[in-house]
Amino acid sequence: MLLGKVLDLNDTQTSILALVFKYCDDNDLPLLDLKDLSATLKFLSSDEGKPILADYGGMSSASVGFLLRSIVVLDRKAPTSSSASRSSSRDLLRTTPDGLGIISILELST
């Protein structure tokens, strides 16, 4: 859902993204970055991958094209220098010196 908001996807495109994550979860395939997501989208929309989607409901090539273009735009907007800070789940999972958890709240406005 969060990635769908970041990519400014409509409901159909967001559901396709959820389908891709479900497929990867079901098959123990890690989606570690945008490159993995793009590769999975390309595979699932290929002639080899389309039969696999029968169990998941399928997706149109136009929607896949839009998702791939959106991923390229997002990737180009991401910081590229090694010193640039990228958001990490570890940034949100912190503890105090005495071992208590710190709650982090991330707000994304429309």
Side-chain angles (χ1 to χ4, degrees):
M1 297 286 284
L2 180 60
L3 185 56
K5 289 187 181 290
V6 169
L7 293 173
D8 196 26
L9 304 180
N10 64 30
D11 290 342
T12 301
Q13 295 156 344
T14 300
S15 69
I16 290 171
L17 198 56
L19 176 149
V20 171
F21 279 94
K22 172 83 170 113
Y23 165 77
C24 289
D25 284 345
D26 290 350
N27 293 281
D28 296 321
L29 300 171
L31 283 177
L32 302 177
D33 54 24
L34 295 176
K35 185 178 174 183
D36 289 346
L37 179 58
S38 293
T40 305
L41 276 166
K42 288 174 187 174
F43 169 72
L44 290 174
S45 64
S46 71
D47 290 338
E48 186 180 350
K50 284 181 184 177
I52 295 169
L53 287 178
D55 293 337
Y56 295 91
M59 56 188 173
S60 75
S61 58
S63 291
V64 171
F66 181 84
L67 286 166
L68 290 171
R69 289 189 301 275
S70 297
I71 290 168
V72 167
V73 170
L74 177 62
D75 192 45
R76 297 212 20 107
K77 287 181 182 179
T80 55
S81 73
S82 59
S83 63
S85 119
R86 289 195 178 209
S87 179
S88 167
S89 59
R90 281 184 237 166
D91 295 334
L92 300 174
L93 302 172
R94 297 179 294 142
T95 58
T96 62
D98 58 350
L100 297 175
I102 297 174
I103 297 174
S104 300
I105 299 174
L106 176 66
E107 179 181 354
L108 297 174
S109 62
T110 53

